[in-house]
Amino acid sequence: MAVKFQGKYLNGFVKPEEFDYVSREVELCHDILHQKSGAGSDFLGWLNLPFDYDKEEFARIKKAAEKIRNDSEVLVVIGIGGSYLGARAAIEFLGSPFYNNLDSNKLKVYFVGNNISGAYLNQVLALCKDKEVSVNVISKSGTTTESAIAFRVFKEFMEEKYGKEGAKERIYATTDKARGTLKNLSTAEGYETFVIPDDVGGRFSVLTAVGLLPIAAAGFDIDKLMLGAQQACTDFAQPDNDCYKYAAARNILYRKGKVTEIMACYEPNWQMMNEWYKQLYGESEGKDQKGIFPASVIFSTDLHSMGQFIQDGNRNLFETVVAFNKPCDDYYVKADENNFDGLNFLADQPMSEINKKAMQGTILAHVSGGVPNILLEADAMDEENLGYIIYFFEKACAISGYMLGVNPFNQPGVEDYKVNMFALLGKPGYEEHREELLKKLGE
């Protein structure tokens, strides 16, 4: 398993010697990261996590996942941001965008607490009404508004459905090890708990219980997931590697005015991985009035929407294309006797080969249109390769953030909307700020 960096589509945009120019900078960022001497060094638990994870808890995760699969038809995962994106991305990548619609899946996995829509919440409640349900609530503090509202609703739902004693056997909390509202409640109610490590930020937490419990409950092999991450951890132990080349290329292009990165993939299963990537890089790099804006597309679908802009719009962007050498499944086009659509020239070809040619043709067109392209080639769409991919992007993000000159592990800007929301909702202690905001709103 591997993720290979291909820089051949950067010709004309980045000179080979430019990688040499920044090599010392990359090495310095590597040293800062591994010596834990840089900004955010308190949140580097993810760095050696593939080897240093809690083996006893890992065994409990697998046991709980088996119980959930055996006694439930639905698992409701409550969380927002890093508390749900990684798990959902992994499940849809390894399974299907139609995961919850496949009859072969005994367990359906629904995600709530990632928005404040009453309509959405009611729709999920309706799906759970006549089903056997388990709940996994994920929150470091237990007070994040979106997730806390959803858990209040589903706690009541579970207790009405199973009684307090029955509910506590079906509610699993992933939270702080020793403190916080959710931890205290879990102890009082008797929920089984799993730990969000103090030194792992939410967007880097998919390989902790945060992601592992839902992924395992969905029926995927988390042992193989961790094996892939271990291999990546080993491969990137020294500065000269493809992960760091990706980080370096991003920063070289950024310094040339390419301030938007579009992640593209030709497999729909990658859709939620795009969303995970956007949080990982957007929240890590977007600060101090700096950062590469992370956007995403799924091709060839979005060639019929965003394709025009990418081909012919503002030249402030570059693309990172994720490709897989082996598809998870394939289909061969058949010949038609009348050739009514003129496509018999594709007869007996696998869709994967047609998709590959679409990718190659698109890359060449976009490069000709002035868009630098980075190609990242992975081997297959399975657990081991996914573990490798997750660690690849996490470590590249850390190196890239340090090269950018920001702290990749904090998110100070996320708090601003919360303060305003609390004030407008009338939360005690925010009265003065509320009056200021109402004046601005003209109310």
Side-chain angles (χ1 to χ4, degrees):
M1 79 207 79
V3 175
K4 296 295 184 183
F5 171 88
Q6 298 285 359
K8 59 185 176 181
Y9 300 114
L10 294 175
N11 292 340
F13 304 102
V14 177
K15 297 175 182 177
E17 58 265 30
E18 290 185 77
F19 284 94
D20 296 330
Y21 299 156
V22 300
S23 62
R24 184 68 188 97
E25 185 180 349
V26 171
E27 291 175 8
L28 179 62
C29 292
H30 171 87
D31 291 342
I32 289 171
L33 185 66
H34 281 266
Q35 294 167 9
K36 299 185 177 181
S37 59
S41 59
D42 291 342
F43 291 93
L44 295 181
W46 60 271
L47 191 58
N48 296 312
L49 181 68
F51 291 103
D52 294 344
Y53 63 92
D54 185 331
K55 309 303 189 295
E56 184 276 331
E57 182 180 66
F58 193 83
R60 285 199 302 114
I61 288 170
K62 291 196 289 185
K63 185 177 180 180
E66 184 178 7
K67 178 180 180 296
I68 291 168
R69 287 198 304 274
N70 288 336
D71 68 16
S72 301
E73 297 168 276
V74 171
L75 172 64
V76 176
V77 180
I78 302 173
I80 194 169
S83 293
Y84 99 99
L85 273 171
R88 183 174 176 186
I91 290 168
E92 294 193 12
F93 174 82
L94 295 170
S96 164
F98 310 108
Y99 175 84
N100 284 326
N101 296 321
L102 296 176
D103 292 339
S104 60
N105 291 318
K106 178 180 181 295
L107 185 77
K108 313 301 180 186
V109 184
Y110 301 125
F111 294 88
V112 301
N114 50 68
N115 58 59
I116 317 179
S117 168
Y120 179 94
L121 199 57
N122 276 325
Q123 289 161 7
V124 177
L125 284 166
L127 290 169
C128 295
K129 183 178 179 182
D130 299 318
K131 304 293 185 182
E132 297 298 326
V133 182
S134 288
V135 170
N136 178 205
V137 56
I138 307 169
S139 176
K140 186 76 170 171
S141 65
T143 58
T144 303
T145 304
E146 294 89 342
S147 301
I149 291 173
F151 183 52
R152 174 178 285 209
V153 171
F154 271 91
K155 181 176 183 293
E156 179 183 21
F157 171 87
M158 294 294 282
E159 289 176 353
E160 288 182 354
K161 187 177 182 69
Y162 297 107
K164 285 186 70 69
E165 286 300 309
K168 78 176 185 180
E169 298 298 323
R170 291 173 170 271
I171 296 176
Y172 303 84
T174 306
T175 187
D176 191 88
K177 183 177 183 178
R179 59 185 180 274
T181 298
L182 182 55
K183 173 60 179 175
N184 293 337
L185 177 67
S186 299
T187 300
E189 298 286 349
Y191 305 149
E192 182 170 6
T193 60
F194 300 93
V195 175
I196 303 175
D198 287 336
D199 57 356
V200 179
R203 57 189 178 275
F204 289 85
S205 68
V206 62
L207 296 177
T208 71
V210 170
L212 294 178
L213 180 56
I215 293 167
F220 301 109
D221 192 332
I222 59 174
D223 288 296
K224 290 182 178 179
L225 191 74
M226 296 304 286
L227 280 175
Q230 288 171 4
Q231 185 62 56
C233 188
T234 300
D235 287 352
F236 309 145
Q238 300 300 323
D240 186 16
N241 60 65
D242 282 12
C243 172
Y244 289 14
K245 288 176 184 176
Y246 169 57
R250 298 178 79 250
N251 278 270
I252 291 169
L253 291 167
Y254 175 71
R255 294 165 191 179
K256 292 173 179 280
K258 306 299 184 182
V259 296
T260 298
E261 176 179 27
I262 300 177
M263 181 159 287
C265 186
Y266 288 71
E267 291 291 346
N269 285 35
W270 187 263
Q271 179 80 54
M272 287 305 300
M273 287 297 294
N274 271 340
E275 299 306 309
W276 174 78
Y277 141 81
K278 286 192 284 191
Q279 189 211 2
L280 180 63
Y281 282 79
E283 204 167 64
S284 295
E285 293 189 324
K287 54 200 68 165
D288 302 334
Q289 288 75 57
K290 292 187 282 189
I292 300 169
F293 184 82
S296 66
V297 290
I298 293 294
F299 288 155
S300 64
T301 303
D302 290 325
L303 287 174
H304 297 262
S305 56
M306 292 296 292
Q308 171 62 38
F309 188 97
I310 296 169
Q311 183 68 42
D312 207 28
N314 196 323
R315 302 296 78 182
N316 66 346
L317 53 87
F318 66 96
E319 285 177 282
T320 295
V321 179
V322 179
F324 295 92
N325 295 325
K326 182 181 178 182
C328 58
D329 201 358
D330 218 335
Y331 185 90
Y332 282 77
V333 178
K334 299 175 183 177
D336 181 84
E337 183 179 349
N338 297 317
N339 195 25
F340 71 95
D341 51 13
L343 293 180
N344 272 356
F345 73 97
L346 298 177
D348 300 323
Q349 291 195 52
M351 291 281 285
S352 60
E353 185 63 23
I354 300 169
N355 204 21
K356 181 178 178 180
K357 297 307 180 188
M359 180 189 77
Q360 291 172 336
T362 302
I363 290 174
L364 292 174
H366 289 179
V367 168
S368 296
V371 180
N373 267 245
I374 297 168
L375 178 61
L376 300 177
E377 291 183 329
D379 291 335
M381 301 178 71
D382 57 24
E383 288 96 335
E384 287 188 58
N385 279 278
L386 178 59
Y388 195 103
I389 289 165
I390 287 168
Y391 193 86
F392 176 98
F393 280 113
E394 287 180 347
K395 197 162 194 191
C397 182
I399 296 296
S400 184
Y402 277 149
M403 290 183 73
L404 188 64
V406 300
N407 177 355
F409 308 111
N410 67 352
Q411 53 281 337
V414 174
E415 301 303 315
D416 290 354
Y417 92 90
K418 295 180 182 179
V419 172
N420 287 351
M421 180 176 68
F422 290 153
L424 290 170
L425 287 170
K427 185 174 181 178
Y430 291 79
E431 292 81 5
E432 186 174 337
H433 189 51
R434 172 182 166 82
E435 293 302 317
E436 294 175 5
L437 294 178
L438 290 175
K439 288 179 181 177
K440 291 180 179 179
L441 292 171
E443 297 181 7

